[in-house]
Amino acid sequence: AGNSIDQDAKPWNRNGVKNIFVSSTPQDYFTNAAVKLHWITNYTAEDKTSVSTPHLVKVNSNETVLIWMESKKIMGENGKEQTVSSLKSVLLNAAGEAVSGIYTFEGALSDCKPIVDNGKILWYYTNRSEPVFCTLNVDDVRKQPR
């Protein structure tokens, strides 16, 4: 999983809008030809949205949750542009395909690798040197309509 600009865009723009992707390769056919690229987001410059590097969290042998942060520029009530951030997640099947809609929730990501405990994904980040613990219920992501 990662974030990237459209590598096939014409004209190519190294400063283009980044989107979230997952690439997958079947275990029994590990070749370049078998690699599939699954774009999870499809933002354009007009969306004024940027994405962070995602985390993959394996829930079980058939499901993985992909989590990333998004920041969006919006016009504030004071008439000035401001940035709002949120966490996003989606459930992937064993082939790397999204099987849920994108679930939005509050929090932040860090370098801390999220773990799974009793159907919940747990991690922390720091806010002014204070740890903030986050919990994501996998069922909440699973219930998001496509």
Side-chain angles (χ1 to χ4, degrees):
N3 62 29
S4 179
I5 61 170
D6 181 356
Q7 298 295 313
D8 296 325
K10 304 271 191 280
W12 188 78
N13 177 2
R14 73 176 173 176
N15 296 317
V17 174
K18 290 184 179 180
N19 279 286
I20 299 292
F21 71 90
V22 174
S23 63
S24 62
T25 308
Q27 279 184 293
D28 56 348
Y29 190 53
F30 203 73
T31 67
N32 269 350
V35 173
K36 291 202 168 131
L37 188 62
H38 311 278
W39 287 100
I40 305 300
T41 62
N42 188 26
Y43 293 117
T44 65
E46 292 77 33
D47 295 313
K48 296 184 177 182
T49 301
S50 62
V51 297
S52 71
T53 302
H55 286 272
L56 283 171
V57 184
K58 188 169 184 155
V59 176
N60 57 47
S61 61
N62 296 316
E63 296 177 316
T64 301
V65 171
L66 178 68
I67 306 172
W68 69 96
M69 282 192 68
E70 288 186 2
S71 298
K72 183 174 180 78
K73 293 188 184 222
I74 63 168
M75 193 58 66
E77 291 181 17
N78 60 4
K80 293 184 180 180
E81 194 171 70
Q82 62 188 45
T83 302
V84 294
S85 296
S86 61
L87 283 173
K88 305 284 184 161
S89 62
V90 68
L91 188 67
L92 307 173
N93 64 16
E97 302 161 327
V99 293
S100 77
I102 295 174
Y103 179 70
T104 303
F105 59 108
E106 291 185 29
L109 286 176
S110 67
D111 291 337
C112 172
K113 176 81 173 133
I115 62 167
V116 177
D117 183 44
N118 273 342
K120 294 183 179 177
I121 299 172
L122 311 166
W123 73 95
Y124 77 93
Y125 65 94
T126 55
N127 183 8
R128 299 178 190 219
S129 300
E130 294 290 325
V132 178
F133 291 90
C134 298
T135 302
L136 172 61
N137 188 331
V138 176
D139 282 337
D140 291 342
V141 181
R142 194 177 277 120
K143 292 176 189 172
Q144 288 302 299
R146 286 235 351 113

